[in-house]
Amino acid sequence: AIVVVLAETQFLEPLIRVVPAMAGLDWPWIKFLPGGAGDAIQGASVYDAVTGSTLLDPLPWPAGVAVLLAWAFVFAVIGYFTTWRRDIT
């Protein structure tokens, strides 16, 4: 689980966020990834400096908080149902 989280946050999501911006593609759903929501809370994105693009403009900070809470809720529900079905004795 730790390796999956690190791979997603340190490799996969940065690629998903940077490559389309550098190619000039406008993918507005990128703002709703956990990293994009975190950027909304802090008010800026490091990817704007890297890509030289403003395609990664963050959401307003209340929306960022709501998106992160939604991600947490989804993963909590998935965790609840996957661990509840296992027999731990």
Side-chain angles (χ1 to χ4, degrees):
I2 292 171
V3 172
V4 170
V5 168
L6 287 174
E8 195 277 329
T9 60
Q10 302 303 312
F11 181 71
L12 185 61
E13 186 173 344
L15 282 177
I16 291 172
R17 294 178 68 197
V18 170
V19 171
M22 291 181 78
L25 300 173
D26 185 16
W27 291 358
W29 57 267
I30 291 175
K31 298 176 186 179
F32 297 97
L33 294 173
D39 287 346
I41 293 172
Q42 74 184 38
S45 176
V46 70
Y47 297 115
D48 289 341
V50 171
T51 62
S53 171
T54 57
L55 290 175
L56 297 174
D57 288 336
L59 298 167
W61 75 265
V65 171
V67 168
L68 281 179
L69 287 174
W71 277 103
F73 177 75
V74 166
F75 286 118
V77 168
I78 291 170
Y80 175 79
F81 284 112
T82 58
T83 58
W84 186 257
R85 294 176 187 239
R86 293 185 183 153
D87 182 22
I88 300 173
T89 56

